[in-house]
Amino acid sequence: MSRRENQARTDRTGTDQQHGARGAPLAHRPEAATDRSATYRQVFASREYRYLVTSHAVSLLGDQALRVGLALLVYHDSSSPLLTAFAYSLTFLPWVVAGPALSGYADRLPRRTVLFAGNLARAVVVALMTIPGLPVPVLLALVFLAEAIAPPVDAAGFAVLPDLLEGDRYVVGVSLNQGITQGSQILGFGLGGAIVAQVGPRAAFGADAASFLVAALVARFALRHPYPPARAEGLTSFWADTREGFRVVLGRRGPRTLLLIAWWGAAVLLVPEALAAPFVARIAHGGETATGWLLTALPAGMIVGMLVLGRFVRPSVRNRVMRPLAVVSAVPLIGFAFHPSLAVAMLLLVLSGMAWSFQVPLQGMFIEFIPHDARGRAFGVAAAGIQVWQGLGILAGGALAQIFGVTTAITAAGITGVLVMLGLAMVRTPAVTPASPLPAPVT
């Protein structure tokens, strides 16, 4: 073993003795893991987690209010559906490029610093959007900038969560986070619409800016430790960091297979949401209210499935059912071949969303493959992939619906989802070994 490798191991051992195997203070480490699901009481026993998850929920509500206000403001000023759709896409599009490229900063800087500075910067940028009379191009540029700051911030939050919640508390915490995310999306759209209706779209921007300010202050004063990434070697170049992020998650069969399952599921399950309006209009013969109800079905099922699987199923069982649930998640979509009524369509999407809970154990398995000092970059690649595959799923579903009809497109998504998930489920992944620091890059 080289002297540099010996030093890296020595440094890592010293860090583990001070902060635990994953960087958490020893005082917060749970007792030996058993095959029992962690309780919500155990999860919320972490003061830092309580504050972070609350600020995260507030930020999500603000984001949804911003999206509603942005769409209405741009459409009012431009009367262009295309420009309105483009403005809405800017709240997601930066992740495709900025996700892998900028998430590395969560592995370069103390994660508390990234959470504080990033949320504060987003608060300032979004606050500028409240200035009356801003031209639409300037408004869109500010939206793009605010969303480009999101990847390192979200990556830092993802990277610090295993430090706050170890063992099965992490998986239960993930299920809570996912449930809160879906619930905030449902509530946020309604809240955003109410804010815009009462006081105008710029007030929605102000609410979003305030939510980021709250998140920044929580990160600065609620996190007791800076949570450094504990990199074993000196910093590499920016592009080398980005390449290493792709290598760490796609260069090995274990995390690569898990990501492909997550990405394919995202591509398939978003098709019925993207085609909700034409389905309701052409098949269910409903209007905007019916479309809204249909759009709530999938996230409602996700909330139920994730909370039940995360809290009431033993860890060993949870891991065993992950792949079967991934396959089953696409099966209800095949039922759209029978032109279901609105009520039946909602039931099918609720069932699909409940099976989507496979994401909970999947994330728990995925984090075990990722070295502590690469979590930020791994999150960036994973999140960017989600955005790309969702976009591809929407485009493919729209094209099929244009040619063959809405129900045929959703049915095709279900059939291909089952077949591809079956293939991925049969790919054997290596046993998880304790994550270790990344080796020094070869130069």
Side-chain angles (χ1 to χ4, degrees):
M1 182 180 292
S2 68
R3 184 169 64 181
R4 182 168 64 178
E5 290 171 327
N6 273 319
Q7 182 62 44
R9 175 168 291 183
T10 300
D11 292 344
R12 177 63 177 177
T13 302
T15 301
D16 289 348
Q17 289 173 348
Q18 296 174 23
H19 296 289
R22 289 184 173 180
L26 290 177
H28 296 284
R29 296 192 67 187
E31 298 176 358
T34 60
D35 192 25
R36 297 177 61 184
S37 174
T39 65
Y40 292 138
R41 181 188 296 270
Q42 291 171 326
V43 171
F44 283 110
S46 169
R47 169 181 172 272
E48 293 167 295
Y49 173 77
R50 292 198 305 269
Y51 281 111
L52 281 183
V53 75
T54 302
S55 67
H56 177 61
V58 171
S59 295
L60 286 173
L61 290 173
D63 283 346
Q64 297 303 93
L66 178 142
R67 290 186 177 108
V68 173
L70 178 67
L72 293 175
L73 181 62
V74 171
Y75 185 72
H76 179 268
D77 287 354
S78 66
S79 300
S80 169
L82 178 61
L83 188 59
T84 303
F86 176 71
Y88 191 82
S89 73
L90 285 179
T91 62
F92 301 97
L93 187 61
W95 264 103
V96 177
V97 176
L102 299 183
S103 294
Y105 284 102
D107 294 330
R108 286 174 168 257
L109 303 170
R111 283 152 181 164
R112 183 176 64 184
T113 300
V114 176
L115 285 167
F116 170 68
N119 278 312
L120 188 61
R122 295 183 76 186
V124 171
V125 173
V126 175
L128 293 175
M129 295 172 59
T130 64
I131 298 175
L134 279 183
V136 169
V138 175
L139 195 64
L140 297 184
L142 289 173
V143 171
F144 187 90
L145 179 59
E147 293 305 318
I149 301 172
V153 177
D154 290 350
F158 169 85
V160 82
L161 186 59
D163 292 338
L164 306 181
L165 304 173
E166 291 197 355
D168 197 59
R169 292 196 304 159
Y170 171 76
V171 179
V172 176
V174 166
S175 72
L176 276 171
N177 282 7
Q178 294 284 355
I180 289 170
T181 297
Q182 298 301 325
S184 296
Q185 288 181 352
I186 297 173
L187 180 61
F189 279 129
L191 181 63
I195 292 175
V196 172
Q198 293 298 319
V199 290
R202 296 190 187 279
F205 303 159
D208 196 30
S211 74
F212 288 131
L213 181 59
V214 169
L217 294 175
V218 167
R220 177 61 185 86
F221 297 106
L223 290 179
R224 299 174 180 175
H225 307 278
Y227 294 101
R231 300 188 68 168
E233 300 292 336
L235 295 178
T236 59
S237 71
F238 178 82
W239 293 113
D241 249 11
T242 303
R243 289 196 304 271
E244 190 64 23
F246 279 96
R247 186 195 68 79
V248 122
V249 296
L250 298 178
R252 294 176 297 163
R253 187 173 58 187
R256 180 176 63 242
T257 302
L258 294 174
L259 272 191
L260 288 175
I261 292 174
W263 288 348
W264 187 254
V268 167
L269 294 187
L270 208 65
V271 171
E273 282 197 354
L275 299 177
F279 171 82
V280 169
R282 300 176 187 179
I283 308 300
H285 307 293
E288 294 179 356
T289 302
T291 300
W293 280 109
L294 186 64
L295 286 172
T296 64
L298 191 65
M302 290 180 183
I303 293 172
V304 174
M306 288 175 176
L307 294 181
V308 169
L309 188 67
R311 173 60 186 90
F312 299 106
V313 179
R314 295 198 309 271
S316 60
V317 176
R318 204 188 288 142
N319 290 340
R320 288 199 301 269
V321 302
M322 187 274 288
R323 293 168 188 261
L325 279 176
V327 176
V328 170
S329 66
V331 172
L333 303 188
I334 301 175
F336 279 81
F338 301 99
H339 296 73
S341 64
L342 177 63
V344 175
M346 289 180 62
L347 176 61
L348 291 173
L349 291 184
V350 167
L351 293 174
S352 187
M354 292 176 66
W356 177 256
S357 60
F358 75 84
Q359 290 282 345
V360 171
L362 185 147
Q363 289 191 43
M365 296 165 67
F366 178 75
I367 195 65
E368 293 294 335
F369 282 105
I370 306 303
H372 177 269
D373 53 338
R375 289 179 190 160
R377 285 166 287 173
F379 176 82
V381 173
I386 288 285
Q387 301 296 333
V388 171
W389 281 81
Q390 284 181 338
L392 292 175
I394 291 172
L395 289 175
L400 286 174
Q402 185 70 30
I403 300 172
F404 301 106
V406 175
T407 56
T408 301
I410 299 175
T411 304
I415 294 173
T416 55
V418 170
L419 294 177
V420 174
M421 286 295 195
L422 275 173
L424 291 172
M426 291 187 290
V427 176
R428 299 186 62 182
T429 55
V432 177
T433 55
S436 57
L438 291 175
V442 178
T443 57

